Amino acid sequence: MRALPPNLSQLGHEIVRATAFLMIPVELLYFSIYFYMKSCRRTYNILSLLSIAAFWIYPYTAPISCGPVRALQNFAIAVGTMKILDIWARRHGLPTYAAGRRPSDWKLPLLLLTELRYESFTPNHVRVWRNQENFSEPVQLGIHVAAFAVLQSFPQKYPTVLAFEVLLAIYIIWTSMQMMVRYKSSPALFGPLYLTDSLTGFWSETWHNAFAAPCTSLAYNPLRFGLPKYGVPVAIARSAGVMGAFSLMAVFHIYALSPLFGDEALTRVGIFFLVNGIATVAEALVWGRQKHWLKTAMAWAFETALATWTAHGLNIPNGLSKIPWAEVCNGARL
């Protein structure tokens, strides 16, 4: 049997190693939630601290040299950290199970751990319940895969083409993963991208909201409800909360992508989220909830221009055919 290229073999081995060592902080996090629900607050606090420490020493216990795997490792560390802090921020009022009969004592913490949007709980961060969705997720996945395939036939030297391909690739990868591992009651992660009618609608109703929970508990709520206590007008506090959420996502993406991209590219990624936050706040101030074709046109023009500028600085391969799959672990940061 023909052996795999060395880089692909390294990729596989390092994914296995990274996944195995990831189980240590994840198990600590699970048991911290378990003991919290058993009203063992001291044990919960200790296990939460151990879990967050284990996440951050994880790169040293399982050193990874392959860039894409290190990016996944950073992604796991960031997601795990946000989950720990999100649970801590909600410790005085965890979401309540609302999907029927209460699960067993071992399963309920597992659901709290694995449901990023708390789909089976209330309050949660789903746009609409799965049985109320007015579109078919598999059909939408097929439409977006077709759009991505069509874009592959375009000249790949144009950053705008690359920007839309990145957008669609994220949709396709996340939706495919969601359809394979989600719970039966989990609603779609995305709405149809082509139905976006505003920046506010894009970020709150169309784009995935997998990290809406930590963005709310760790960034939006502290600013939205904390600043008015010091005399800041509610409107300004609300805008600051939105900017806080976008800032958190900027930091998250910069950290997760740091093994793959250089400083200039990471700066553009951060600016992408911060400018989107500013534009979303401005749009809400000018248009409110009003729907208008001009609002939609301006949103598409703005997002396309900003995404094009961001993609231009990422130095990503021009199309799938240009990705050096056999050397995937050898490349320097882009």
Side-chain angles (χ1 to χ4, degrees), residues 48-67:
S48 293
L49 288 173
L50 289 175
S51 179
I52 203 166
F55 270 114
W56 284 96
I57 65 172
Y58 168 40
Y60 303 99
T61 57
I64 301 297
S65 59
C66 181

Side-chain angles (χ1 to χ4, degrees), residues 54-299:
F55 270 114
W56 284 96
I57 65 172
Y58 168 40
Y60 303 99
T61 57
I64 301 297
S65 59
C66 181
V69 183
R70 281 198 295 124
L72 291 174
Q73 188 179 54
N74 282 11
F75 179 84
I77 292 169
V79 172
T81 301
M82 289 195 299
K83 188 69 176 184
I84 295 168
L85 296 177
D86 180 51
I87 294 290
W88 180 84
R90 300 170 187 270
R91 66 192 183 283
H92 298 305
L94 282 180
T96 304
Y97 188 75
R101 184 178 179 183
R102 188 181 188 276
S104 57
D105 289 348
W106 69 266
K107 188 174 182 180
L108 192 59
L110 182 64
L111 291 174
L112 278 168
L113 171 64
T114 55
E115 291 190 355
L116 295 178
R117 298 173 291 170
Y118 302 115
E119 297 96 315
S120 301
F121 298 82
T122 183
N124 59 50
H125 296 273
V126 300
R127 301 180 191 87
V128 65
W129 293 106
R130 180 166 175 77
N131 60 4
Q132 295 174 344
E133 289 176 351
N134 58 1
F135 61 87
S136 166
E137 192 173 20
V139 170
Q140 289 302 319
L141 176 60
I143 291 172
H144 289 81
V145 168
F148 181 83
V150 169
L151 283 177
Q152 289 294 307
S153 66
F154 284 32
Q156 298 295 301
K157 62 182 179 179
Y158 299 113
T160 301
V161 174
L162 295 178
F164 277 104
E165 287 176 344
V166 169
L167 180 82
L168 289 167
I170 294 171
Y171 177 102
I172 292 166
I173 292 170
W174 275 83
T175 299
S176 299
M177 292 173 57
Q178 142 102 347
M179 292 176 65
M180 288 189 292
V181 303
R182 71 179 177 192
Y183 296 111
K184 291 181 179 180
S185 60
S186 297
L189 272 176
F190 296 83
L193 300 184
Y194 53 85
L195 295 181
T196 300
D197 62 359
S198 65
L199 293 176
T200 304
F202 176 76
W203 291 110
S204 64
E205 299 174 8
T206 301
W207 197 242
H208 79 78
N209 59 347
F211 305 119
C215 281
T216 300
S217 65
L218 304 179
Y220 181 83
N221 282 348
L223 293 169
R224 164 63 181 85
F225 298 104
L227 291 178
K229 296 177 182 178
Y230 299 95
V232 176
V234 171
I236 295 177
R238 185 182 297 114
S239 298
V242 172
M243 287 303 304
F246 275 97
S247 298
L248 177 59
M249 284 295 96
V251 173
F252 168 81
H253 284 84
I254 289 172
Y255 175 71
L257 296 173
S258 59
L260 299 178
F261 296 105
D263 292 341
E264 180 186 352
L266 294 174
T267 298
R268 293 198 180 212
V269 170
I271 291 174
F272 173 82
F273 283 96
L274 293 177
V275 174
N276 259 298
I278 294 170
T280 300
V281 169
E283 181 192 73
L285 291 174
V286 173
W287 292 94
R289 298 180 180 274
Q290 178 185 359
K291 293 185 180 294
H292 195 281
W293 68 266
L294 181 59
K295 179 183 179 182
T296 300
M298 292 175 64

Side-chain angles (χ1 to χ4, degrees), residues 13-61:
H13 286 305
E14 294 201 342
I15 287 176
V16 171
R17 181 168 59 192
T19 303
F21 278 87
L22 178 61
M23 292 300 101
I24 297 172
V26 169
E27 287 178 5
L28 288 169
L29 175 53
Y30 168 81
F31 282 109
S32 73
I33 300 172
Y34 177 86
F35 281 105
Y36 177 89
M37 305 199 76
K38 291 292 186 180
S39 298
C40 301
R41 299 295 189 262
R42 180 179 175 82
T43 305
Y44 158 74
N45 290 332
I46 293 172
L47 289 174
S48 293
L49 288 173
L50 289 175
S51 179
I52 203 166
F55 270 114
W56 284 96
I57 65 172
Y58 168 40
Y60 303 99
T61 57

